[in-house]
Amino acid sequence: MVSSCACFWKTPVIFSDGSVYACPYSIDSLKSNPYSINFSDFIKLGQVVPEKIGLIEVLNGPINQRLKNLSLNNRLNAIPRCNKCVFGVCTSNSLNSFSPEELKQIKRNPSACIGGLLSIEINSTCNLKCIMCNRGNYDKINLGPMDIDMFKFIIKNIERNLFYFDSIQLFFNGEPLLHPYFDKLIDFLREKNVNNQLFRNVIIDTNGQFLTPRISQKIIKLGRVSITFSLDAFSKTTYDKIRRGGDFERVISNIKFFLKNQVKVYNHHSLFSKLQFIIMEENQHEVSQFARFWSEYLHSLKVDFSVVNINNANKYPKPVMILFKFLSSGGKQEEQCYKTGMTEKEAEIFMYKILLKNNLIPKAEMESVANLVRNSGSCSYNIQANKS
């Protein structure tokens, strides 16, 4: 049962049509009809209308104020949609995630600006059909790219109201670089976010297919950026099997260009890149090759990097990270991941087994991870022989 949540202050989501939602978690937890745009008003906070209704007006509007007050009084269970949320009980999303000073501030003024993550879905479509992605559920509602005037109005509204977010995420479930005017959005954001006065960090996740040299240069010059390249394979054969519709040679070339140019500036800009590999049955045999290939390339660039997994990435931050992840269910650890026979917890153990087998766990964590795997019992997938 959910009684309180910090999402109403920290994680608003704006879809490309300007609709604003309280948080991404309540959306994902609605398994029967994902991404329905017909949520109750207690989930949908309102609608941004250029030159009429701004984002800050929506966030400080009556719907979100009611949600905030219920949360402050530990009464969120009065909202059916929130009561079904599988994330609200997590420490990271409860009021415990506020510092004592922040908590005093929001109790005095629930409309106080506390930072957090603003997600803007600048484009809701994707050019790939990845086998582990549940985008098939969302394609039924295709909102397309955000109008450039809508994007500018949102940013100007934040600037005008002296509102501040820790981070802005330029995607939610689509491929952001598919936006026909992505370069113009980036230019405008750079113009308005001088000295990180609106956002301390810009977050981008991309499959890299449209990462042209021109776009790469614009992202690199944006300032403090965290960009994740979704790869999930070492070979073309495996890439084609998992990331259907992608061009393997093209994406590798694009990423190499980006990394070469990142090296030239990363001492002057806080730019972080992640080379992501989600471990699955289809690609488990390429884990070692993937780590070795990119390690050798990054060594050749003389760039500082680390090989991490999703659970320890914050311990080893480097300008470039080779990141291994496990499949997510989008809900509780006991729920099955999309299109697999594994629960999220089993997927995590599966990841650790493969990383242990390939000596990709830091020595300091080896014993604790080995004990976790040993005590986990059986895993739904068999571990194949290492083919590297």
Side-chain angles (χ1 to χ4, degrees):
M1 181 179 293
V2 176
S3 59
S4 67
C5 185
C7 293
F8 310 117
W9 288 270
K10 288 194 168 186
T11 54
V13 181
I14 312 174
F15 283 97
S16 54
D17 65 345
S19 55
V20 184
Y21 290 85
C23 70
Y25 308 112
S26 56
I27 295 172
D28 275 347
S29 67
L30 298 176
K31 302 293 185 182
S32 60
N33 191 15
Y35 276 58
S36 167
I37 57 174
N38 297 314
F39 295 139
S40 73
D41 284 343
F42 298 121
I43 297 297
K44 183 177 179 179
L45 302 180
Q47 187 81 26
V48 172
V49 180
E51 310 309 326
K52 292 183 179 180
I53 304 173
L55 170 64
I56 308 307
E57 287 73 23
V58 172
L59 294 181
N60 291 333
I63 297 172
N64 206 29
Q65 289 302 316
R66 183 190 175 195
L67 288 165
K68 289 178 177 180
N69 287 328
L70 287 170
S71 187
L72 286 171
N73 290 287
N74 294 308
R75 292 183 54 228
L76 266 188
N77 56 325
I79 307 298
R81 294 292 170 90
C82 292
N83 201 32
K84 293 177 182 177
C85 178
V86 297
F87 290 92
V89 294
C90 300
T91 301
S92 60
N93 295 321
S94 73
L95 297 185
N96 293 330
S97 65
F98 289 119
S99 69
E101 187 56 40
E102 286 176 335
L103 199 53
K104 287 180 183 178
Q105 189 177 355
I106 63 172
K107 285 182 177 179
R108 287 195 303 266
N109 175 20
S111 298
C113 174
I114 303 296
L117 170 68
L118 173 65
S119 297
I120 302 183
E121 179 79 296
I122 61 172
N123 177 65
S124 66
T125 60
C126 188
N127 54 309
L128 303 186
K129 297 290 184 182
C130 301
I131 61 173
M132 67 289 192
C133 182
N134 56 357
R135 274 201 55 84
N137 293 327
Y138 312 144
D139 284 342
K140 299 171 186 175
I141 300 173
N142 180 3
L143 301 176
M146 177 176 281
D147 185 85
I148 192 168
D149 290 333
M150 172 76 77
F151 181 83
K152 288 183 176 181
F153 178 68
I154 291 169
I155 303 302
K156 286 179 181 177
N157 182 250
I158 294 170
E159 178 188 40
R160 188 163 52 247
N161 286 275
L162 302 177
F163 221 73
Y164 173 81
F165 288 92
D166 291 326
S167 301
I168 180 173
Q169 179 173 278
L170 297 180
F171 70 96
F172 186 67
N173 202 63
E175 169 53 48
L177 271 60
L178 267 179
H179 195 290
Y181 301 109
F182 181 82
D183 56 340
K184 290 183 172 58
L185 301 186
I186 289 294
D187 287 342
F188 185 77
L189 190 59
R190 182 185 179 195
E191 172 191 331
K192 293 297 181 181
N193 197 39
V194 177
N195 297 321
N196 302 317
Q197 62 186 5
L198 303 180
F199 312 103
R200 186 172 58 86
N201 190 36
V202 180
I203 303 173
I204 301 171
D205 271 29
T206 177
N207 57 45
Q209 295 291 325
F210 295 91
L211 189 72
T212 63
R214 182 166 175 268
I215 292 297
S216 287
Q217 296 285 12
K218 286 185 176 291
I219 292 174
I220 288 170
K221 292 177 182 178
L222 190 54
R224 186 179 176 89
V225 177
S226 176
I227 185 167
T228 299
F229 303 111
S230 300
L231 289 165
D232 307 319
F234 162 73
S235 69
K236 183 181 185 306
T237 300
T238 300
Y239 183 88
D240 291 346
K241 184 176 182 180
I242 294 174
R243 305 194 69 80
R244 295 173 178 171
D247 184 327
F248 180 71
E249 287 84 4
R250 178 182 180 182
V251 75
I252 297 300
S253 175
N254 290 347
I255 293 172
K256 283 185 172 181
F257 178 88
F258 185 94
L259 294 172
K260 282 180 182 178
N261 285 272
Q262 175 183 348
V263 168
K264 299 175 184 178
V265 300
Y266 84 83
N267 282 325
H268 307 286
H269 298 76
S270 299
L271 179 59
F272 299 90
S273 300
K274 299 182 183 74
L275 304 164
Q276 181 176 286
F277 188 109
I278 300 176
I279 299 177
M280 298 170 277
E281 183 180 35
E282 291 81 1
N283 64 10
Q284 57 171 296
H285 60 284
E286 293 192 349
V287 164
S288 179
Q289 292 167 300
F290 183 85
R292 184 165 59 248
F293 172 80
W294 286 109
S295 293
E296 290 175 355
Y297 182 72
L298 295 170
H299 274 305
S300 73
L301 296 179
K302 296 181 172 58
V303 62
D304 198 9
F305 71 95
S306 57
V307 180
V308 298
N309 63 71
I310 188 62
N311 290 336
N312 69 5
N314 290 335
K315 295 181 182 179
Y316 310 101
K318 298 291 182 180
V320 183
M321 289 183 276
I322 300 171
L323 175 66
F324 292 101
K325 292 180 67 175
F326 57 89
L327 288 164
S328 172
S329 67
K332 296 179 180 178
Q333 285 192 322
E334 294 76 21
E335 291 183 351
Q336 285 197 351
C337 303
Y338 187 70
K339 289 186 177 179
T340 77
M342 288 193 292
T343 65
E344 184 169 309
K345 184 61 180 177
E346 287 176 326
E348 180 184 27
I349 297 300
F350 182 70
M351 175 193 75
Y352 277 139
K353 284 184 175 181
I354 300 299
L355 294 179
L356 281 169
K357 182 182 172 107
N358 289 282
N359 297 314
L360 292 172
I361 298 291
K363 289 182 179 180
E365 300 175 13
M366 189 77 73
E367 185 176 352
S368 61
V369 170
N371 286 335
L372 179 66
V373 171
R374 197 160 32 241
N375 297 329
S376 67
S378 61
C379 186
S380 297
Y381 284 172
N382 294 321
I383 299 177
Q384 299 172 0
N386 189 348
K387 297 180 182 179
S388 61

